[in-house]
Amino acid sequence: MPMREPRLEVRVLGEMSVRRGGEAVGLPASRKTRALLGYLAVTGEPASRSKLCSLFWDGPVDPRGELRWSLSKLRSLLGPRAAGALVSDGEAVRFDAGAVWLDLAAVRSAAARGIDRLAAAELVACEREFRGELLAGLDLPDCFRFDAWLIAQRETLRGLRVALLERLAGLTDGDLAEALRAARSWVALDPLSEAAHAAVVARLLDLGRPKDAQRQAETCRRILRQELGVEPGVLLERARVHRPPTRDREHAPSRAVTVAPAVATVTVQPAAARPGEPAPWVGREAELARASAAIAARAGGEGPRLLLVTGEAGIGKSRLLAELASTLAPGNGFALAGRGNEAGLDRAYGVWIDLLRSAPFAEVAGASREAELAWLAPGEHADREMERLDRERVADGLARVLSRRARDRPPLLLLLDDLQWIDEASIALLHLLLARVGEAPLLVVAAARSGELAPRGAASRLLATLERERGLLRLPLAPLSLEEAAALVRAISPAADAERVAAASGGLPLFAIELARSGGGADGSLPPPLAALVGERLAQLEAPARGLASWVAVLGEPCEVELLRRLSGLVPSELLAGLDELERAALLRVDAAGERYEVAHDLVRRAIYEQLPAPRRRFLHAEIARAKAERPEPEGGGAASMARHAALGGEAELAAQASVVAGERALRLDAATEAREHAERGLAQLERLGARADLGLRLGLLRVLVHATRGRPGRAGLPEEILHWTEVARGAKRVEETRIGLYLLAVLRAEEGNLAGAELMALRAVEAARQGDPAGAAWTLGNTGRCLAHIERDFARAEALLLEARELAEGCGIDVVEVHFGLGLVAAADGRGAEARAELERGLELARAEEDAWIASQCLIRLAMLALDRGDPAECERRCGEIEEISARLGEGAERAVAACLRALAGRVRDPETGSAALEEALALLRAADSKGMLAEVSSRAAALDLAADRLEEAGARAEEALANASTVGRRGQIARARLASARVARARGDHRAALEHLLAASAEDRPVGTLGGAVRAEIRELSKALGIPTPRSTPGRESVDIDRGDSP
Amino acid sequence: MTLMIVESTYDPPLTDEARRRDQERLDPCLEMRGVEWVRSFEAADRRRKICLFRAPDAESLREALRGAGLAFDRVWIAEQREPDPADPDRQAVLVTR
């Protein structure tokens, strides 16, 4: 009785997946084949073969053949029983809906019942089926008919999903959190829908979160203005007026507030109400006490090593950091400060350079005398120097200098503001530094915006490590109490209605300060947005100052006066006057290093930025990108910033170019996550360019992406994407781009079957030997090099070790037999026959003198093979006689059997018509001796002779045996040769596809490049040419050829 | 990977020092060829030794031994058999006792 086949489960909403009995079914690598399956599943109707051909293969010579191949591929994947789901009756093909469960069918049937009639749980279940867009990643830009169909389907489904979300977001009688989630998903799906934003605002108000609601309303206003140039209409306003009457603060204060007398509970430190100076310090006694305790503990070498201050923007984190620095008594402890910058993520180590060069740099004077810290000396290009140095050594130097200074005058505070924007390289250095300073009285105080640290980013990983080691103290900041906020307002503007302004500020100090500075005229239920306050201040400035404010806000990073001069075109007197005016208005300040200008606070910067009309912002971004492109920084510095400005300025090509540079730079700095982001952003820019996108740029970005994702999950469909663009490059005869694409494909392939570093122990032995006496080192290096060459694991490294061994041996006047044997193997593998012979002859001579029968037999075996290669069977047979003679002294082993095999091969070279009896007999001996490496060698050679004599059947079987044996012993050279033999057989049979498959597999063995010998690489090149694949240019250090599995010759 | 036995004889008998030196030379050769040492049995008089390895093929093991300069008498492929009261074919040891 046939077994009942588990139902197939097919998901098409999002990335396509197929499961059978709960087990995932692997889908074909070909995007077209997957798209074909997706199309049949989604339509659920019979499609004629001619229609399918026109959808997917409008062009190839044999579209029906391609379709047949794809269908057979699908059937084999689905398995013998489930293949029944794919029904082809004559001319038509269809997917049997009864045999599968389809996510889309569930959604369709729910929709058919009417969304308004569905219960909440059904709506939620239905909506959850949408894991992404229909057949995500299966766009086929070259198959325009299919693409048009897909776009139309996606549009329909998007409408359906919006309807579902709208219904869910409006369900206020049930789970409000679920309704809010739905409303947010709706905004994400349709960010320009005012109704969606209004739903979020309304649900937030329902949930008693007025401040979040207000923020959402601001976001909506900004997006509509920016993208559509319109103001929000009645929908948003209606949602806003539904604001519940409560004035409760969104977050309960973290500590009890004494109600009366209010003022008595609040301490106000010296009022500094003048703009441009730090705001007065108000309240926060508990936080300050906890921080001071941590500092005191650290001064004694105890307690947490990192204090993390968190809170929303404008809550007063930076102010707390400044306050902590000021609490250090003169002559007792000191602080160094640096901060991250949203637009400055590409300044590797930027925060460290700023920090070490900040005002108390004198404290570290003398540090630059340390070799690893020489770059600190004034006048040095610190960032460039720092990038060249080994990070571990920089950390050693820093740890030494900082620990010393910290012990001299404890404690030392390292203040790192805006941790969420600090680059990966800087965080890595901080990690290393903390591991090195031990019990030194040094405390890192970092500030980060709540919820803005990337969950798996470098900073989060560091914090998690410290938390495990109990080295982290978290200090969250809550809004100020009403009394504290009022005290702050009074300190700035004694005339203001302090209580009302404080209430309007919601306890957010920055907001309270801005309101107070603007006169504190809040009257409505909603305080005026910060943007309005900043706008009023801007309006009072002269035109040059306003212009400068725009440039600085759009730049978004600390900038030098020279750049501002070039951008603004102002004459120096106007420029300086404008800067003065902005400083006086507390909109601009000089950064910690005292070298550049920056906007006083990021929220203020955003407010200025948002005042600018969208077209003007775009223009400014583009100008900045062009200015940066005119004077590129060395080694790719500033490229990330350039890319960002170019993207925002609509200069897609420039943005993509800069992304390549920024990505490559990030790779050099081991900042893989950043490199990946640059690549992804660059690729997104190319999408905007469509057909005009440059192929070289695209492959450059893909190269960054491949290297950035090595050893970790890459982006879905990356190999297919690369394959596609490689084919496009090949079609356009762009040789260099084709080569890059093929190289990337081979890298990805090699990644899949990554061989473990099996030579670790040997290389450690080599390292140890290098420390010892030269003669011993020569022997160890020679032995290891010979071994690597013998097992064909890595010819490039083998040769390097052997040459080093030879130099050492010559230095002490000795001759090492293994060096000659090893170099003979390398030369033979490279196709340098004469040189190989000379080395092997010398090795044989030495081995005989030393009575090393094994090395002698091995040299003889290689000499016999070289004779075969030269077409000299007599010489081969003579060598075989010598092998047989010497093997008698060896005891058991494979040597005699190898000699018999080589003799049989020589017989065939002499007379190609010779039968295979002698060879079979010899091979049987070799199998009995269990030498799989030699079996692979002999089988590959026999396959070549069979092929030359047109015995395809035998040749194919021998190539397969060679591959199986070579794979068992992991000999990559022999694996490649066996693959080449199979490729040639496939070619002779007219199976072009199989030939390409084998050729690609052969070339994948050459990873890293140089693993294979030059002879095999030349064979790969030759065969690629014969198969009509463009042979990439040979460049120094990269001679190898990389082949992909192209579908067409 | 196949179970392999190496038989060796020593005259003069094996010393601790010689064993340590052999081990140091052999380990990298084994590792590069993907051979794993399982265990060894030394005769009480230290004149005979049997070593068990797992190797892709016998020649890889021979190459490793010879490459490290170690002499041996025989290398052979082995099948592991254990006494099993439930399997009549594996009761020999129990029966003879």
Side-chain angles (χ1 to χ4, degrees), chain A residues 576-932:
Chain A
L576 296 175
L579 290 171
D580 281 348
E581 204 179 343
L582 287 169
E583 266 195 278
R584 276 198 306 278
L587 291 170
L588 215 59
R589 68 178 176 208
V590 177
D591 73 351
E595 287 172 357
R596 292 163 299 173
Y597 278 99
E598 62 186 5
V599 179
H601 192 283
D602 188 59
L603 286 183
V604 174
R605 184 190 74 76
R606 281 177 192 217
I608 300 175
Y609 186 81
E610 280 161 19
Q611 310 275 311
L612 297 168
R616 187 162 168 181
R617 278 203 297 254
R618 244 196 321 279
F619 172 76
L620 297 181
H621 278 302
E623 281 292 295
I624 292 170
R626 283 190 283 265
K628 282 176 178 264
E630 266 172 32
R631 294 191 195 176
E633 291 175 34
E635 319 226 347
S641 163
M642 197 200 302
R644 179 177 158 274
H645 287 297
L648 291 167
E651 296 284 329
E653 182 147 11
L654 182 58
Q657 280 165 0
S659 297
V660 175
V661 179
E664 285 171 350
R665 184 169 184 277
L667 285 177
R668 285 200 299 277
L669 293 166
D670 293 331
T673 313
E674 276 172 33
R676 180 181 177 155
E677 282 168 10
H678 290 310
E680 303 261 14
R681 280 195 213 116
L683 288 168
Q685 289 301 314
L686 289 188
E687 294 313 314
R688 292 177 57 178
L689 285 172
R692 288 176 297 129
D694 180 68
L695 209 48
L697 269 181
R698 185 180 302 273
L699 282 154
L701 288 163
L702 288 170
R703 179 162 54 189
V704 172
L705 196 56
V706 166
H707 289 299
T709 48
R710 284 188 93 159
R712 57 181 92 185
R715 83 170 182 181
L718 184 59
E720 290 79 3
E721 195 175 344
I722 294 173
L723 182 61
H724 170 78
W725 291 111
T726 307
E727 281 173 353
V728 171
R730 184 180 292 145
K733 303 212 183 311
R734 299 270 295 259
V735 178
E736 184 60 16
E737 284 76 14
T738 311
R739 193 185 63 72
I740 295 173
L742 295 173
Y743 161 73
L744 295 178
L745 281 172
V747 168
L748 290 177
R749 242 187 119 99
E751 281 269 289
E752 287 164 15
N754 204 1
L755 279 171
E759 305 92 30
L760 269 182
M761 206 188 282
L763 295 174
R764 270 203 297 273
V766 163
E767 276 314 308
R770 282 195 180 110
Q771 316 296 325
D773 74 294
W779 188 88
T780 306
L781 266 64
N783 178 263
T784 307
R786 188 273 303 158
C787 199
L788 278 176
H790 206 178
I791 60 173
E792 303 183 41
R793 181 68 50 80
D794 188 342
F795 279 108
R797 193 155 56 181
E799 190 171 10
L801 286 170
L802 290 163
L803 292 174
E804 191 182 342
R806 172 142 81 188
E807 207 177 306
L808 284 167
E810 280 170 2
C812 26
I814 54 171
D815 212 355
V816 179
V817 58
E818 294 203 74
V819 171
H820 292 288
F821 175 35
L823 285 172
L825 290 173
V826 172
D830 263 349
R832 292 176 271 131
E835 196 184 327
R837 243 169 110 187
E839 291 288 358
L840 291 168
E841 293 281 12
R842 175 68 185 146
L844 177 63
E845 192 185 332
L846 282 172
R848 281 189 163 139
E850 292 173 14
E851 296 195 350
D852 188 333
W854 182 63
I855 298 273
S857 72
Q858 295 300 311
C859 287
L860 282 166
I861 289 173
R862 262 57 191 194
L863 284 165
M865 287 180 185
L866 284 173
L868 272 186
D869 293 341
R870 288 198 307 277
D872 185 350
E875 166 74 4
C876 175
E877 283 159 348
R878 193 174 66 78
R879 294 296 189 187
C880 287
E882 291 182 75
I883 298 168
E884 281 154 358
E885 203 177 298
I886 210 164
S887 65
R889 304 218 308 269
L890 260 177
E892 71 156 57
E895 290 73 17
R896 188 178 285 273
V898 173
C901 287
L902 293 176
R903 209 184 267 283
L905 289 175
R908 280 200 160 188
V909 170
R910 208 189 285 281
D911 175 11
E913 295 309 310
T914 308
S916 60
L919 181 60
E920 286 310 329
E921 206 174 303
L923 279 169
L925 286 175
L926 196 50
R927 284 187 201 107
D930 194 28
S931 173
K932 295 195 164 60

